[in-house]
Structures are given as C-alpha cells and as structure tokens.
Amino acid sequence: MAIPPAEQIPLIDQAAAESSSNPSKAEEIYRQILDSKAQDEDGLRDQETALVKLGALYRDQGKAKELAQLVTDSRTFMSQIAKAKTAKLIRTLIDYFPASARDLQMQVTNDNIAWAREEKRVFLRQSLEIKLVGLQIDAENYRQALTMTEGLLKELKQLDDKIILTEVFLLESRAAHAIQNLPRAKAALTSARTTANSIYCPPLLQAQLDLQSGAVHADDKDYKTAYSYFFEAFEGLGQNDEKDPRALRALKYMLLCKIMLNLPDDVPPLLLLKSAAPHAGRDLEAMKATAKALKERSLDLFKKALKEYHEQLQQDPLIRTHLSSLYDTLLEQNLIRVVEPYSSVELSWIASEVGQTLQVVEEKLSQMILDQVFFGVLNESEGTLEVYDEPVEDPLQKTALDTIKQMGDVVKSLYDKVSTHMGCEFSPS
C-alpha cells in the first residue's frame, strides 16, 4: 500500500505522529492549527483536539508557564464554541498543571473566573469556582475553601442543579473534615448524599461520596462501616481507564481499617486481589509493614515502618491520625506486658524495655493510671512504679453508700418542706 505524501496527511495526525519523537515540531503544528481560522465544524473539532493535545504536551514536558499562557490564549477560540464545552475544555487544561505548580494553577483559575464573570458566562464561572475550591483543599487552605462553598451553595440552591450542588456539598464536607469540624462535615455529607439520591449520580461522583463517608465513619471509630464505604469507593474509582490515585487512597484506607480493627492477617489477602495489582508499590508495602508490626505487637517494627515509609504513612492526614492512635495502643500494650509481673519496677528499666524515653514512659503510665487501665502510683523519689492489685468492690459497702444517699435525699426533702411552711407562716399579711 502506498504511503500518502506528508502534505496529504491531516495536520492533526502529523502532530500526533511527531509528539513523541519530535515534541517541538508537534508543538509547532498544533500552534499552526490553532492560529488558523476554522472554516467548518470539522475545523473547529480539529482545533479543539489540538488545544487539548498541546496542553497534554506541555504537561508531559513540565512546561507550566507555557500551559498557563495556552489557557489564556485559548479564550479567542472558546468564544466560537458552545459554552458547556468551554467549561469542560478549560477545566481539562487546568487539570494538566503538575502539583508542583499549584500556585500558578490557582492563579490561572482565578484569572479565568474573572474573565467568565466579565463575559457573563455563569456556568463556566461556577464550574471554575468549584474547581478552585478543590484546589484550595489540595493546598490545605481549608477555611478559605469553606468560605467559597458558602457563596456557591446560596447561588446553586436557587438554580437547583443537583449534580453541581452535590459536588459543592462534598467539597464542603471535605474542607470541614480536614479542620476537624466534624458536625459540619457530617451535615454537608448528609446533604450531598440526599441530593445525590434524588437524581442519577455519576459513578465517579458516587465513589467520591463513598470515600468521604468512609473517612467520616473512620473518625467515629466505626471501622467496619468505614471499610464498606472504602471498598465501594475503590470499586467505583477502579473502573476508570486511567489509574486514578484516589483508588490507591481508597485501598490504603481499606487496609487501614483492617489494621485498626486488629485484623492484620486480613491485609495480605487484600493485597493479592486482582484489582489491587495495578497499585503495587511503596504505598501498599507501607501498609503491609504496619500490619506486620501490629501482628507481632512490636513497637520497634512500627517505628521502623514509620521511618522507612514516612512519605506514604505521614503525608495523608487520615492515615497519620489513626496510626498515631494505633501507636498509643501498641505502647500501652507493651507497657502492660512489661509491668504486669511486678509489684514494684524501675521506670528507667521499663523505658529501656519498650524503647522509649523516660519522659514518654512516665507521661504514658500516668495517663494509664488515671484512665484506670491498671492501678498503681509513680514514686518519683525512688524512680519506680508501684503496681497495686485491682481493688475488689464490697457489695455491702455499695449498699451502705446507696442507703446513706437516699437518707440524705429524705432529710433534704423534709428540710425544704419545713422551710417553705415556716416562710408562709411568718410572711407579712
């Protein structure tokens, strides 16, 4: 079969062919397509494709500034196409910014919000404002994100666009949850799920709702329910053609729930699932190492896992918070194991046995005594812990105390009646 000459191959196909071997040539062709005037629908479609492909090219090459300029330059083209399609294109280009250029990404989003407001493109402005709320959450500007959701919700409730309303309620819940405003996070999540139930909710949005529901239940220590939500979220996010990083997060949260439920043996089978295979790597290895430390009740292994997989275990706020709680539990269990055989034991020896500083051990033992995990007292002058047997409550003593309390109530009642009677008898007429 004869190969057609280059001049007969459509420019859009020429650029696609050059994108991997000669990116600069591909960029030149994409620019040529965008600078030309479209004569028909096919021409507009080619320009739309060229715009997205050029944005992807800049993303792959890490050219954030060129990508920002492309978004600005594309406004002329945007005025020629449907407004609904404009919102999708701009959000696609904004999504191409790398995480390292988040400030520039937010600046570009703000600039386009201002442009949409000037052009009276309400749908585009709202779409970009929702995107900006998500970026604010990613940048950990949670209070600013919450303020933005308040204005958006007032506006969107009047329009009654339930899909967008669900998205904003979900963002509000995420921002409130991040600053530990749990009542507001739960209320916003309930509103999101109620709104979503009244319409057909896209699978991806439903998966995000499940992910947030799992996080809220995990904070309530309801790890069984949280696991169910995380599993649904993992299934929904795993249906995408591309590997969604949120699917990996849902899988890690599933493993976290098993660990917090003290079921470390359930972790390896979950890692063998076919759906977990694409996410193999350090993130899953970190959860596996944590489960192993829990199974062996080893603080040393736990600390080693935290150190070796610091990025995977400490950067996610949900995992960091719950592993901190697990660390306290492990420390408590190790302290009980060490002191249990003794009635008096040196604090310095306890510290060496559990691999902690003397100050940490003293603070934890004090807390455990106050919480009545065991009964004892810290003898600071001797540097020892005195352990007592658990006091046995005498049933007769409890009965006697209850009787004295009831007699006190009767005496008080009689005193109140006498006082009232005497007050009436001597009151002036």
Side-chain angles (χ1 to χ4, degrees), residues 106-247:
M106 293 170 69
Q107 179 187 328
V108 170
T109 307
N110 269 314
D111 291 345
N112 280 278
I113 289 172
W115 172 71
R117 189 173 284 113
E118 290 174 6
E119 296 289 319
K120 294 183 172 55
R121 295 192 170 205
V122 178
F123 180 78
L124 174 60
R125 174 182 58 78
Q126 291 172 344
S127 179
L128 290 174
E129 284 179 345
I130 292 171
K131 178 64 182 174
L132 184 58
V133 173
L135 293 175
Q136 294 283 11
I137 292 174
D138 292 340
E140 299 183 359
N141 300 327
Y142 303 119
R143 298 190 184 278
Q144 195 170 343
L146 277 175
T147 302
M148 289 184 66
T149 60
E150 291 170 3
L152 269 169
L153 286 171
K154 287 180 183 177
E155 186 177 352
L156 292 170
K157 284 176 182 177
Q158 296 175 347
L159 298 175
D160 199 33
D161 188 330
K162 295 190 183 300
I163 289 288
I164 298 180
L165 201 56
T166 301
E167 287 185 33
V168 180
F169 276 131
L170 176 59
L171 289 169
E172 181 187 14
S173 180
R174 286 178 57 199
H177 182 257
I179 60 173
Q180 290 301 296
N181 186 344
L182 296 183
R184 184 170 179 179
K186 291 178 182 178
L189 181 60
T190 300
S191 298
R193 297 193 74 90
T194 302
T195 307
N197 288 338
S198 64
I199 54 170
Y200 168 73
C201 186
L204 189 59
L205 181 57
Q206 183 63 53
Q208 294 176 67
L209 285 171
D210 290 334
L211 192 63
Q212 180 62 12
S213 298
V216 170
H217 278 85
D219 274 358
D220 283 340
K221 311 297 183 187
D222 185 1
Y223 295 112
K224 285 186 178 180
T225 306
Y227 176 84
S228 299
Y229 277 120
F230 289 141
F231 181 80
E232 293 294 332
F234 177 62
E235 290 288 306
L237 294 166
Q239 292 176 3
N240 286 351
D241 293 335
E242 297 182 6
K243 191 166 69 172
D244 194 324
R246 289 171 298 186

Side-chain angles (χ1 to χ4, degrees), residues 341-413:
Y342 303 98
S343 59
S344 179
V345 57
E346 289 186 0
L347 292 171
S348 56
W349 181 79
I350 297 174
S352 66
E353 283 294 300
V354 297
Q356 300 292 317
T357 63
L358 184 60
Q359 182 182 355
V360 169
V361 167
E362 286 182 351
E363 289 176 356
K364 188 61 182 175
L365 287 172
S366 298
Q367 179 190 336
M368 291 167 68
I369 292 170
L370 289 172
D371 292 341
Q372 295 189 348
V373 176
F374 69 91
F375 295 87
V377 64
L378 294 176
N379 188 339
E380 293 187 1
S381 61
E382 298 292 334
T384 60
L385 169 70
E386 310 296 332
V387 183
Y388 305 147
D389 293 332
E390 184 176 349
V392 179
E393 187 175 313
D394 187 349
L396 187 60
Q397 181 186 16
K398 184 176 184 300
T399 304
L401 289 172
D402 288 342
T403 303
I404 293 171
K405 181 178 180 301
Q406 289 172 13
M407 288 177 63
D409 291 340
V410 170
V411 172
K412 184 177 182 301
S413 176

Side-chain angles (χ1 to χ4, degrees), residues 66-137:
E66 287 82 353
L67 181 56
Q69 188 59 47
L70 176 65
V71 177
T72 303
D73 294 343
S74 66
R75 290 174 185 169
T76 304
F77 166 68
M78 297 293 183
S79 61
Q80 305 174 52
I81 61 177
K83 292 183 178 181
K85 189 174 287 188
T86 300
K88 182 180 179 182
L89 281 175
I90 291 183
R91 284 192 61 161
T92 299
L93 291 174
I94 289 174
D95 284 339
Y96 283 161
F97 281 89
S100 57
R102 184 168 287 127
D103 289 342
L104 180 59
Q105 186 181 27
M106 293 170 69
Q107 179 187 328
V108 170
T109 307
N110 269 314
D111 291 345
N112 280 278
I113 289 172
W115 172 71
R117 189 173 284 113
E118 290 174 6
E119 296 289 319
K120 294 183 172 55
R121 295 192 170 205
V122 178
F123 180 78
L124 174 60
R125 174 182 58 78
Q126 291 172 344
S127 179
L128 290 174
E129 284 179 345
I130 292 171
K131 178 64 182 174
L132 184 58
V133 173
L135 293 175
Q136 294 283 11
I137 292 174

Side-chain angles (χ1 to χ4, degrees), residues 32-62:
Q32 182 182 340
I33 296 171
L34 290 170
D35 291 340
S36 62
K37 186 173 181 179
Q39 302 296 324
D40 51 23
E41 287 294 326
D42 289 339
L44 284 174
R45 197 177 298 111
D46 284 348
Q47 287 188 324
E48 181 183 329
T49 303
L51 182 64
V52 174
K53 293 287 188 181
L54 182 57
L57 193 66
Y58 286 148
R59 174 200 62 193
D60 296 340
Q61 294 183 311

